[in-house]
Every structure is written in C-alpha cells, then in structure tokens.
Amino acid sequence: MGYYGFTMNEFQPGPAGCSENENFADMPLENTYASLPETFYSRVAPTPVAAPRLIRLNRPLAEQLGLDPVALTSLAGLEILAGNRLPKAARPLAMGYAGHQFGNWVPQLGDGRAVLLGEIVDRDGIRRDIQLKGAGITPYSRSGDGRASIGPVVREYLASEAMAALGIATTRALAAVATGELVYRARPEPGGIITRVASSHVRVGTFQYIASRQGAEGVRTLADYVIRRHYPDLVEADQPYTALLQAVMERTADLVASWLLVGFIHGVMNTDNMSVVGETIDYGPFGFVDLYHPGTVYSSIDTQGRYAYNQQPAIAQWNMARLAETLLPLLDDDEEAAVAVAQTALTAFADRFEASYHAGLRRKLGLMEQRREDVDLAFELLQIMARGGADMTLTFRRLSNLGSSGPESADSAGDGPVRNLFEQPDAFDAWVHKWRQRLAFEQRDEAERQSAMRAVNPAFILRNHLAQQAVDAAIEHLDFQPMESLLAVLSRPFDDQPQHEQYSLPPKPEERVLRTFCGT
Ligand code: AMP
Ligand code: MG
C-alpha cells in the first residue's frame, strides 16, 4: 500500500488514453547546443522510471511542434516523455550554469534534475528546447535526487500554460507524467516529470558559469550561439555584443512589466532563473497577487522580501548587471569604455521597463492617448486598492465594464461591483470620478473601450488557492481532475465564463495561501 492510499501498480500506463500506435513515436530532434564545447554541459541520459503513466499531453503545443499527439500518447510516446526511451536523434545533456542565489554567488549549479533531449523547429520556424524536468541524477545534482514531486510538476504545468494564455512570454508544458516512484521530501510524494518546452534554457547564470571558468573566449562562443539562435537580426550589428545586451534587457524589461500588470510574483529571481530570451522560467514558489499589496511575498524561502512583487523590476536590473559583467571584455577593449557601455544599457533598462509598464497601465485603464497625468491616475488606483484591501484582478476586470459616464449616484447598481471590493468605497468613488473625467478626453466608443479593457484585464488568473487545491488533489489522491478543470478555464482568461465564476473569485479567508514553497 502506498502512502496516500494508492499502490504502485495503480501507476501502470493506462487510463489516460494510451494507444498501441507506437510507430510514429519519435521526435525529429536537432542538437545545436550539444555541438557547443563539452565544457558547457555534461552528456547524460534520463534515468528510467518504474511505471510511467501519462497525466496530460498538451495537444495544441504538440501540434505546434509538428509532433503527432496520437503517437505521443502511445506506449512508446509515454516512454519518451518519461525518459525510459530516447528519441533516435536525441543527444541528451544537462546544461552547466552558475548563479547568484539571493544575492550570493554560487559557482556551480546546473541542471540537477533536468535533461535536454534536443531541439525541435516548430511550425513557425522557431527552434525550441525539449527538456525532461525530473529525469534523474546528473553531474550537477549535488545532494539532490534528480527527481520532482508530482506537486511541483502540476504547479509548473498550470502556471506556464496560464501565463501563455495571458500572452506572457514563458516556457511551456508539453506533458506531465507520473513516474510510479515515490520521492522523499518533507513526506513521501508521488514522483513526476514535466516535459518543458523553451525557446532557450540559456540563463544569465549560464553566462556567469562560462565567464567564471573560461573567460572572454568562452563567453564569446556562448554569446555568438545566443545571437545566432535567438537574436539573428543582430548578427550584422556593428557591435553585436552590445546589441545583445540591449536586446536581452529590452525583453527582460517587457517581461517584468507584463508580470506586474497581472500581479505575478516569480518568487526566486536568482540569476540562474532568469532567461536570456525574456521568457518566464523555473516556476517554484511563485504566486499571483490577490488583495493588491505592492510588498507581497509568498515564497517561504524569501524571508527578506528580496523578490517581493514590487522589487521585481529592480532585481531584474540587478540580474542584467550581472549579465553585463560577463560581457564586459566583449563590449570594448578598453575596460572603462566597456563599463560605460554597460552602464548606458542598464539605464536604458529602467527607461524601457517604465515605458512598458506605463503603457500597460494605460491599457488597463482603457486609455488610448498618452497624457502626463495618466500614470498618477493608475498609481492612485493601485494605492487605494492597497489601502482598501481590494482584489487586483477583480478590480480591473470589473472596472472594464463600467460605463464612461457613470451611474446617477455612487451606490447605485452601476459602480457597485467595483466599489464593493473596497473597504472604503468613498476613496474609489472619488477616483472613478477622475477616471471618467479623463476618459472624456478621448473620442472612444464606450463598447469598444470596454472590450479593449477586457482584452487586457483578465477575469481568470491562476489564483494561489486554486493551484494549491489542484496540487493537493494530485499529491494525495493522484486526482488530476482539478488540474484539468483549471486548465480549461485558464486557457481563455479574457473571456467571461459565467458558469465558472467560482474560479474568478478571491480565496475565502480559510482558503488563503500565505506561503508558497519551492517543493522540488
Ligand atoms: P531551482 O530551485 O529549481 O531553480 O533549482 C536550483 C538548483 O537546484 C538547480 O541547479 C537545480 O537543478 C537544483 N535542484 C533542484 N531540485 C533538485 C533535485 N531534486 N535534485 C537535484 N538537483 C535539484
Ligand atoms: Mg532554477
């Protein structure tokens, strides 16, 4: 008997729809990373697992990758997704990287429980990494077991697909598999593997790793690879490495702005968890803001609030400074000149973030034109949300539906759905009056303004308590139905789905999740 009332043989491949069609279960992998110097990674194959079972395949993503979903759900497909069988063209490896963890330099991290199988060029011509996370021990595992619990697998699957549906750059989840083995965390839990798809797994920490071990020539090799693969327009630039630094900063600034606009808190913005292509990566103790408060921290390991909601832009810039340091020798032969180039780029990061964030706030308020007072208007709303204990997502969503001219009296039906979210509705009444005055400057059709606002203010985010319920069901009962239901709703976050209203609501007091865990 297992720990949670299930036995090991319940993990046999089965109910999740495995067919016998094994013929086409392969992946047309390419291996550009594996052709870089061997000092960049370690060749290692996934360790097979006892009794894999498919929890979920992301069919639309499989199709986007040109893979056959039927073949992937066959026994042979399942074996690939579990690491029990290698695709013919795989040259599996674990990537080396270093990083600053909570500000402290750690010279050696690396994929301790993830194996890169190779790359697939998708239907849009974009090369994407196929990685099995939870695939067993690698030379970078240190004292870890190389495995993942099903809980974090479900969390990462949910988060990456929810973020993608929100239009936020992110790694994706192609599949989740239960391994039929237990992993030992605070308690024994069922093991899982997630197939992660990323435009890149190169991190700021990858540059740090190569810089600290191999110096400028190693960094040049890595930078050339990243430019060719991810920023091909820069190949011909006068100063390709300066252009690379600027481009990474632009994408990162836009990414962090997009996080803030939906209330996302990454939780562990260490340099090893920061992609060089501006995708959200490594979902650990992340969380979404419910009641808006700028200093919100969920992560149990972030005792100092280093990675709080409102610290994220400054931390991203700090991480970009670490990237810039590794590139210095390539920016200019003269050290002082190189530092000046890097400093200019870092200043530009702050400007880019601000422009991107402010433009997003304007869109959230339904404003098309730029006026100087707009940002103050937005900050004022955020401030009264913080003071009035209002739910961030619901406030913006319901604001979208308000009329431009307003109800007869403040407490009449019209504004009720928004003002009721505030402990002191008066503050909101005063604000909404100003907002309407501002709207009046724009000749915009009301219905068009409302639908434009609904297209940027989601009705549904991955609320922490809902993620937790899906994780608990998975760990305790191997029940993946809550995950399925959530994914269905979160795949259309900007659509009203009245039959699923419960997923749009903040947690009840007893449901509130105050802490999130790495829970590897
Ligand atoms: P993370 O907190 O997931 O960003 O991981 C930080 C570092 O710890 C990375 O080098 C991971 O590969 C490694 N790591 C995390 N969990 C495990 C595990 N269960 N076994 C081996 N290495 C791990
Ligand atoms: Mg990580």
Side-chain angles (χ1 to χ4, degrees), residues 95 97 101 108-114 133-134 136-138 140-149 185 196 203 266 268 270 272-273 281-285 301 518-520:
M95 291 165 70
Y97 51 84
Q101 299 194 309
Q108 163 115 32
L109 289 161
D111 291 330
R113 53 165 168 164
K133 186 171 172 183
I137 299 232
T138 79
Y140 310 110
S141 297
R142 294 170 290 164
S143 56
D145 61 1
R147 294 298 187 189
S149 155
R185 299 295 181 257
R196 178 158 71 180
R203 306 145 189 269
H266 182 284
V268 207
N270 294 335
D272 51 297
N273 290 337
I281 191 169
D282 277 9
Y283 292 92
I301 52 173
C518 280
T520 58

Side-chain angles (χ1 to χ4, degrees), residues 26-29 57-69 72 81 118-131 172-175 195-199:
D26 199 14
M27 289 182 177
L29 295 169
L57 178 74
N58 187 337
R59 285 167 191 268
L61 182 59
E63 280 161 12
Q64 171 67 22
L65 292 166
L67 300 174
D68 175 6
L72 274 180
L81 298 171
E119 307 129 24
I120 291 182
V121 178
D122 77 8
R123 291 207 162 146
D124 296 323
I126 298 172
R127 181 177 296 275
R128 297 166 92 180
D129 285 356
I130 308 294
Q131 190 202 61
R172 301 291 303 273
L174 176 64
T195 307
R196 178 158 71 180
V197 177
S199 302

Side-chain angles (χ1 to χ4, degrees), residues 5 83 92 152 184 246 274 285 288 309 346 355 360 374 403 405 461 502 508:
Y184 297 87
Q246 289 165 340
M274 183 122 273
F288 280 84
Y309 173 76
L346 284 164
D374 296 346
S405 44
I461 53 161
Q502 79 272 20
K508 301 189 188 90

Side-chain angles (χ1 to χ4, degrees), residues 354-367:
E354 217 172 81
S356 189
Y357 181 53
H358 291 177
L361 286 173
R362 250 188 219 101
R363 284 194 299 274
K364 284 178 88 69
L365 293 183
L367 305 175

